[in-house]
Amino acid sequence: MSNAATHKGHRERLKTRFLKEGLDNFTDVQALELLLFYAIPQRDTNPIAHALLDYFGSLSRVLDAPVEELKNVPGISDHSAILLSMVTALSRYYQVDCTQRTQTLTTLDACGAYLVPYFFGRTRETVFLLCMDAKCKVLCCREVGEGSVNSASVSVRSIVETALNARATTVVLAHNHPSGVAVPSAEDVQTTRRVAAALRAVEVHLADHIVVAEGDYVSMVQSGCRFDLDLLP
């Protein structure tokens, strides 16, 4: 049997196995190999999958890697790099779409669960604002900046403008800690109080600030933080 026929047979066997079993029993190499079938139609993708894992160290790091860095691995073209980089983004898109089917959030836990998918796979600190009406119906959830909530790239003004443009009466602020520790810092609390005061001035209530890490979250309010305290100069 020719190498081409063997290669084609291997592809068909791997596809058939996925259709019967899903990915649960696949190795990292096999999962990458199968994915790369759809960007590299004529080559054996097994060595390329091994090279990716050797270069980045794990499957998650491969899928989180920037396109330009993926292209450092021999055999990875623009098409392959884009396909790989889409996996995490598309997974986040899917999770957010699922949560958006819930349109009324009447508890802080419901708000936390709604917000967590927005941070799936993000490797940089990102800040979102969840806007709701007086009946806790979701109006929108908008990214308002990158960096921690106390960084220069996230302005109180942009948060207030987002809330006003959505005509929100209640909002929940959320940001992630890519380090994996969902514990609000003292600076997070101080800045949140400034945001709460600015929102209060335009009659918008800040219900909570959610800190997300590794698929879980911490509610500042449930942790005992108070946002209704004006800061001393």
Side-chain angles (χ1 to χ4, degrees):
M1 183 180 292
S2 69
N3 288 337
T6 301
H7 179 51
K8 181 178 180 181
H10 174 67
R11 287 187 173 224
E12 292 306 317
R13 285 191 296 273
L14 208 58
K15 292 176 185 177
T16 300
R17 182 181 164 195
F18 167 71
L19 291 173
K20 289 182 178 179
E21 303 175 10
L23 287 176
D24 290 345
N25 296 316
F26 274 53
T27 64
D28 290 353
V29 168
Q30 290 169 336
L32 272 178
E33 190 181 358
L34 177 61
L35 180 62
L36 289 170
F37 287 170
Y38 299 95
I40 307 173
Q42 301 299 327
R43 292 181 59 184
D44 182 1
T45 60
N46 182 275
I48 301 172
H50 276 287
L52 283 165
L53 290 169
D54 289 343
Y55 186 94
F56 291 102
S58 71
L59 178 62
S60 61
R61 288 177 179 172
V62 171
L63 299 179
D64 286 340
V67 167
E68 291 305 315
E69 193 170 354
L70 286 166
K71 288 161 59 179
N72 290 334
V73 177
I76 295 297
S77 64
D78 285 338
H79 291 303
S80 304
I82 291 170
L83 177 66
L84 291 168
S85 68
M86 281 182 62
V87 173
T88 299
L90 190 60
S91 298
R92 180 169 60 246
Y93 194 104
Y94 166 81
Q95 292 189 36
V96 168
D97 183 67
C98 288
T99 64
Q100 287 179 342
R101 297 171 191 170
T102 302
Q103 293 297 322
T104 303
L105 307 174
T106 56
T107 67
L108 295 180
D109 285 334
C111 292
Y114 184 93
L115 285 159
V116 165
Y118 282 85
F119 299 95
F120 177 80
R122 294 188 186 274
T123 56
R124 298 184 61 183
E125 289 196 24
T126 311
V127 185
F128 278 86
L129 190 70
L130 172 62
C131 299
M132 295 175 285
D133 66 13
K135 295 182 179 179
C136 297
K137 180 180 178 181
V138 175
L139 299 172
C140 66
C141 188
R142 296 277 187 266
E143 181 179 331
V144 291
E146 283 193 338
S148 62
V149 288
N150 48 26
S151 73
S153 63
V154 182
S155 71
V156 174
R157 178 175 178 175
S158 68
I159 292 171
V160 172
E161 287 179 347
T162 299
L164 290 176
N165 288 338
R167 299 187 178 183
T169 58
T170 301
V171 298
V172 175
L173 195 62
H175 81 284
N176 61 325
H177 284 177
S179 63
V181 181
V183 177
S185 67
E187 290 181 329
D188 287 340
V189 175
Q190 294 291 316
T191 303
T192 303
R193 288 177 177 167
R194 292 190 181 95
V195 171
L199 288 167
R200 193 160 57 245
V202 294
E203 299 182 340
V204 177
H205 172 58
L206 178 63
D208 202 354
H209 185 166
I210 300 292
V211 183
V212 177
E214 295 186 342
D216 201 1
Y217 69 91
V218 169
S219 157
M220 285 194 183
V221 168
Q222 291 177 340
S223 299
C225 295
R226 295 281 303 277
F227 304 147
D228 56 350
L229 304 175
D230 289 326
L231 292 175
L232 296 174

